[in-house]
Amino acid sequence: MKKRLNIGILGLGTVGSGVLHILKEHQEKISQVTGYTMGIKTALVRQIEKHQNQTDIHLTTDVETILKDPEIHIIVEVMGSIEPAKDYILQALKQGKHVVTANKDLIALHGNELTQVAKENHCDLYYEASVAGGIPILRALVDSLAADNIKKVMGIVNGTTNFMLTKMAKNGLSYEAVLAEAQALGFAEADPTNDVDGIDAARKMVILSRLAFGMNLPLSAISTGGIRSVTATDIQIAHQLGYTIKLIGAAEEQNGTIHGMVGPMLLPNEHPLSGVNNENNAVFVTGSSVGETMFYGPGAGELPTATSVVSDLITVAKNIRMHTTGDGFSHYQHETKLTAKEDIQAKYYLRLNMTDQTGTFLKLTQLFAAHQIGFEQIIQQPFDQNSAMVIIITHQGSKEQLDQAIAGLESDSDMVLKARFDVLEESICTKDY
Amino acid sequence: MKKRLNIGILGLGTVGSGVLHILKEHQEKISQVTGYTMGIKTALVRQIEKHQNQTDIHLTTDVETILKDPEIHIIVEVMGSIEPAKDYILQALKQGKHVVTANKDLIALHGNELTQVAKENHCDLYYEASVAGGIPILRALVDSLAADNIKKVMGIVNGTTNFMLTKMAKNGLSYEAVLAEAQALGFAEADPTNDVDGIDAARKMVILSRLAFGMNLPLSAISTGGIRSVTATDIQIAHQLGYTIKLIGAAEEQNGTIHGMVGPMLLPNEHPLSGVNNENNAVFVTGSSVGETMFYGPGAGELPTATSVVSDLITVAKNIRMHTTGDGFSHYQHETKLTAKEDIQAKYYLRLNMTDQTGTFLKLTQLFAAHQIGFEQIIQQPFDQNSAMVIIITHQGSKEQLDQAIAGLESDSDMVLKARFDVLEESICTKDY
């Protein structure tokens, strides 16, 4: 008979229930690939009554029951938030228990500390489910792309906002209308700030950067914007110009330094990320050797996220069998150096309203010329009786100079900047032969 | 100082040169993640003179120099073809050397035997580069999706034909014209049979099926078609009907049985595989829990394929460090059962020429009705003075009944079947809310 590995699970919400389901449904395969039977022994819940009919596993409201149980080998943390999850995980690691977590906030903010404690206690700590739900992107970066020098990681890593932008594009709806719809469907929370302002995506970029570049990109160094300023008009005009607007998180290496951003970005329609719709996620990785690869799939949801948690559990089980636990998820580390602002290149989409009088347009072009920023495309349309709407796609230039030109624009009372989004320069996959 | 792992490489063509390049360029990262310095000690080549200026590593025309060298720990086989590659690999494994190969033909046809010999000799045998070049799909199936029951694997796994179909679609060119262009660019061989008739793709489906389902789908059981019968007309009509034609390899599990096919397939335009263009590859995996994921990237080429080879080398090096070599790439195995033909569902696109006289169309509809196959869409256009071109997209039905209806059609002198392609039923990712 195969030896049993006991799991203690902290939290029995959506993802926790999914983990329960998968461990039960796929037990034959899991047992074959790991050499163990794996099952949840005890679950930490807030209210025992709420879950009594859901499962026959042991329920507790006291975390000590799990942390002090010598029969429990692995802890799955799917509570979310920083505390008390962090405290519980630290205690578990110090007791010699391996940990699998889906907690992106915790890993983004305290991943290094937790990794260090795991190492000191010869324990495994895995967190595949913390980024892009069911997409095995972290393992791909650490294992499969280990042979390559990764130059750029760029992704649609927030399902809520991707659902919203897809709806806006397909049905010509406003931000407010799709937000209400996303909330009604349970894709967006009552307070959508974390999603729509790009905060969730920025946290995921911290985790992706750590594994892709071996560096710690601080959250505060990620230039972070959200989708509140995206209008149906922007989406429609971008489409006419050959672009699709997506909320993109990107981190890029440049001469040993890195920089990151989150914000709405215009992608060429032929770019693989442009076709990633609804609540799906995708991460596009550029390596100096492999070129461009993309990993696509469900970014959230009970079973997809739980699949990633269970794949981590399988890895821990294999490590236990091979006596190789505690080796760490990634060995790739570099001193973190941030790219100086003057070295960052960018290309912008700008939408502004301008008083419709002789000379304003000249002022605008003089302003950009003074900062050596050229225009790739310009569209001017009447906005109302006294003003015009102007859309500009700039050429690529220094981000610092671009931002100086924009500061000049914002200080001119004849012009009002309504939207400023990044534009992706052509990449290999959108080029023709 | 770090211990050195010596590699012997069999073949120094495109992929071999790429491996050389990557091991040199990325040595710092590779050394950090593995704990070893890795380098090629000796290369087996056909003509030493040809490579003397290319590299300063030791060149030999005698394989024994490598196989009998006790300082060489790992063999990289990038010669291609079955023999003598198979013989060399068997000898290497029996000498206790680990093997990394990019040889899809060998792994498709003799993978089980080689895996068995590797196991008996406690050696590693990895072959990530054998399917879809730079895309880490095999490791994703074995590690990341181990937690899931995989239901279907479907992919664009042949870059040559995808390049050709992309060109035909974009420029309205004929099969013959794009074949000539692909040959001129070096994407297609002088004898393109293996690519254009789907043989290469079928071999890759054998490998994918083995890892996805733990079963051995014999090459002879894969219904295999190629792109010779695809015309610019088909591509254009399909596009009008909302579909993109791609050469698809698919393998699907159904109640513990599997079946596979390779052939041109009409995919809904919104399907992520529809946007995979030029020589790129992508593998679309459906799991019972994770849902739909896709892995996209370069399917061939010097550096992408070499990246996969080197990622396997890194895995071997980690296994050596952890003393866990010889554990096998995949532990997932099932008795192979093929799906009975009457249980396979299909949906077809048919293009036929029909004599333009009263009653022929009635005969056609009666024929399909007799086999209980309904039509989803029909287009009839004049072809020449005496005949009409008819395009049919059937409803989904039993493949056996569909094929019987088609046999009836082919035995009728008033109808000539010009093309028969599969049509993908709608999947989750193409559905709207």
Side-chain angles (χ1 to χ4, degrees), chain B residues 35 52 97 122 137 162 166 203 218 227 304 335 364 366 429:
Chain B
Q52 249 162 352
K97 297 189 194 306
H122 310 288
I137 180 63
N162 199 46
T166 303
R203 288 179 175 165
I227 67 164
E335 190 193 343
L364 178 73
Q366 281 171 339
C429 60

Side-chain angles (χ1 to χ4, degrees), chain A residues 29-92:
Chain A
K29 182 174 179 186
I30 293 170
S31 158
Q32 201 178 107
V33 296
T34 61
Y36 293 99
T37 62
M38 289 177 97
I40 292 178
K41 185 178 175 194
T42 313
L44 177 72
V45 294
R46 270 189 225 175
Q47 292 175 295
I48 288 180
E49 305 72 39
K50 205 180 139 192
H51 299 278
Q52 249 161 351
N53 298 326
Q54 181 192 347
T55 173
D56 50 7
I57 59 169
H58 180 213
L59 300 172
T60 179
T61 55
D62 177 15
V63 74
E64 299 292 317
T65 313
I66 293 175
L67 297 178
K68 299 232 161 118
D69 184 342
E71 287 185 352
I72 288 179
H73 310 91
I74 311 169
I75 301 293
V76 170
E77 185 273 305
V78 283
M79 310 166 67
S81 301
I82 304 296
E83 290 294 358
K86 186 186 169 198
D87 176 45
Y88 294 170
I89 289 179
L90 285 172
Q91 284 191 54

Side-chain angles (χ1 to χ4, degrees), chain A residues 21-22 25-26 28-30 32-34 128 134-136 139-150 163 167 170-171 181 185 187 211-212 270 272 275 277-280 284 288-298 303-304 306-308 310-311 314-315 318-319 321-325 327 329-334 428-429 431-433, chain B residues 21-22 25-26 28-30 32-34 128 134-136 139-150 163 167 170-171 181 185 187 211-212 270 272 275 277-280 284 288-298 303-304 306-308 310-311 314-315 318-319 321-325 327 329-334 428-429 431-433:
Chain A
H21 173 87
I22 291 175
E25 289 296 309
H26 304 176
E28 185 209 332
K29 182 174 179 186
I30 293 170
Q32 201 178 107
V33 296
T34 61
E128 180 64 74
I135 309 174
R139 191 164 302 280
L141 288 173
V142 168
D143 286 342
S144 304
L145 299 173
D148 206 358
N149 282 334
I150 296 170
F163 172 82
K167 278 304 217 185
K170 280 200 182 159
N171 307 340
E181 191 178 341
L185 283 166
F187 285 148
L211 298 176
E270 309 76 42
N277 287 322
N278 297 323
E279 76 280 25
N280 288 304
F284 194 83
S288 65
S289 297
V290 78
E292 298 178 335
T293 58
M294 187 175 87
F295 302 81
Y296 163 96
L303 292 178
T307 302
S308 284
V310 177
S311 81
I314 288 174
T315 306
K318 284 184 184 171
N319 290 344
R321 177 165 59 82
M322 310 283 256
H323 306 287
T324 56
T325 54
D327 188 51
F329 189 27
S330 170
H331 286 234
Y332 186 49
Q333 264 190 313
H334 267 294
I428 304 168
C429 59
K431 271 192 189 139
D432 234 347
Y433 288 89
Chain B
H21 173 88
I22 291 175
E25 289 296 309
H26 304 175
E28 185 209 333
K29 182 175 178 185
I30 293 170
Q32 201 177 106
V33 294
T34 62
E128 179 65 71
I135 310 175
R139 192 164 302 283
L141 287 174
V142 169
D143 286 342
S144 304
L145 298 173
D148 206 358
N149 282 334
I150 296 171
F163 172 82
K167 278 304 217 184
K170 279 199 183 160
N171 307 339
E181 190 177 343
L185 283 166
F187 285 150
L211 299 177
E270 310 76 42
N277 287 324
N278 298 321
E279 75 280 25
N280 288 305
F284 194 84
S288 65
S289 296
V290 78
E292 298 177 336
T293 58
M294 188 175 86
F295 302 82
Y296 163 98
L303 291 178
T307 302
S308 284
V310 178
S311 81
I314 289 174
T315 305
K318 282 184 185 173
N319 289 343
R321 176 166 58 82
M322 310 284 254
H323 307 287
T324 55
T325 54
D327 188 50
F329 188 27
S330 170
H331 286 236
Y332 186 49
Q333 264 190 313
H334 266 294
I428 304 168
C429 60
K431 274 195 186 137
D432 232 349
Y433 287 90

Side-chain angles (χ1 to χ4, degrees), chain A residues 329-348:
Chain A
F329 189 27
S330 170
H331 286 234
Y332 186 49
Q333 264 190 313
H334 267 294
E335 190 193 342
T336 304
K337 287 184 196 157
L338 299 180
T339 314
K341 198 176 173 189
E342 60 266 30
D343 293 335
I344 301 176
Q345 296 286 301
K347 178 172 174 173
Y348 283 157

Side-chain angles (χ1 to χ4, degrees), chain A residues 156-215:
Chain A
I156 295 171
V157 291
N158 180 275
T160 306
T161 47
N162 200 44
F163 172 82
M164 291 171 64
L165 290 174
T166 304
K167 278 304 217 185
M168 287 174 75
K170 280 200 182 159
N171 307 340
L173 296 173
S174 70
Y175 167 83
E176 290 74 18
V178 294
L179 175 60
E181 191 178 341
Q183 284 168 328
L185 283 166
F187 285 148
E189 293 174 51
D191 175 3
T193 310
N194 272 343
D195 291 321
V196 302
D197 290 338
I199 300 163
D200 173 82
R203 288 180 177 166
K204 288 164 179 167
M205 294 318 296
V206 170
I207 301 174
L208 287 170
S209 301
R210 209 178 277 151
L211 298 176
F213 308 112
M215 292 199 214

